[in-house]
Amino acid sequence: MKSLFHLLPSLLILILASCGTGRTDFAPGGPTTVGMPQKLSERERTFIPEIDAALRREGLVPVKYDKGDLQLDFTMSSGPIHIETSIALLEDKAVLLSATGKSGGLPMVGRDNVARKSFDEAFADFQSAISRVSKNRGWSGSASLRSPATGSVDESLPVD
């Protein structure tokens, strides 16, 4: 009995370490994970929940800090007139899908609207492309509503 108590801390650590993981060598049948970008600008952080929700609708599970089966590349580049949005899904540096959007406006005036237009253009293409890839790959819809990548619950999705 005494030796069982010596194993308990090690067993507890092993169990806790496995709780936060999704797909591993030990659980290959788990959902496909998508590593979310670690460094985002303030503007990018406002749009990332929409991408997170789109991934989940296709059965993918976003995870923090670029540690997934797939990787999300998301950037919004701002110039004095234009804002360009790029969204891509990568697998081992191979591009599975990519989408871009570009919008322009007066410098320093209405930049949030310009960013929204740029993002919406890229996001529409991204959603269309991810639906096609999802069907080809057999990802099955709606993963968990709680996002480890953003730490929030997407309230727009229905709860079972």
Side-chain angles (χ1 to χ4, degrees):
M1 189 59 114
K2 188 174 185 178
S3 63
L4 180 62
F5 288 115
H6 292 293
L7 293 175
L8 191 59
S10 298
L11 184 59
L12 184 60
I13 290 171
L14 183 63
I15 290 170
L16 289 175
S18 68
C19 289
T21 62
R23 187 178 171 125
T24 68
D25 293 336
F26 302 105
T32 302
T33 58
V34 178
M36 301 298 272
Q38 184 172 356
K39 295 179 182 176
L40 295 171
S41 70
E42 185 176 327
R43 178 170 282 138
E44 291 164 344
R45 279 193 299 273
T46 63
F47 293 105
I48 199 75
E50 294 177 55
I51 297 172
D52 182 287
L55 293 169
R56 290 176 177 288
R57 281 190 297 271
E58 297 301 331
L60 301 170
V61 177
V63 294
K64 286 183 179 182
Y65 308 130
D66 295 324
K67 305 289 185 201
D69 301 310
L70 306 174
Q71 302 304 118
L72 179 74
D73 181 29
F74 171 53
T75 58
M76 295 184 85
S77 303
S78 295
I81 296 173
H82 292 94
I83 295 179
E84 187 169 341
T85 300
S86 173
I87 309 170
L89 197 57
L90 310 167
E91 181 176 48
D92 298 324
K93 297 186 182 184
V95 178
L96 290 178
L97 63 98
S98 67
T100 59
K102 188 173 185 178
S103 184
L106 296 172
M108 308 302 283
V109 177
R111 299 310 284 170
D112 290 340
N113 290 335
V114 173
R116 171 48 73 184
K117 288 178 186 174
S118 173
F119 176 79
D120 287 347
E121 183 180 322
F123 189 60
D125 290 344
F126 176 78
Q127 286 182 312
S128 176
I130 198 167
S131 291
R132 287 191 308 274
V133 171
S134 177
K135 288 176 187 171
N136 292 339
R137 294 254 172 154
W139 300 327
S140 56
S142 219
S144 166
L145 298 177
R146 181 162 295 281
S147 170
T150 62
S152 63
V153 175
D154 186 348
E155 301 293 341
S156 66
L157 295 175
V159 178
D160 293 294

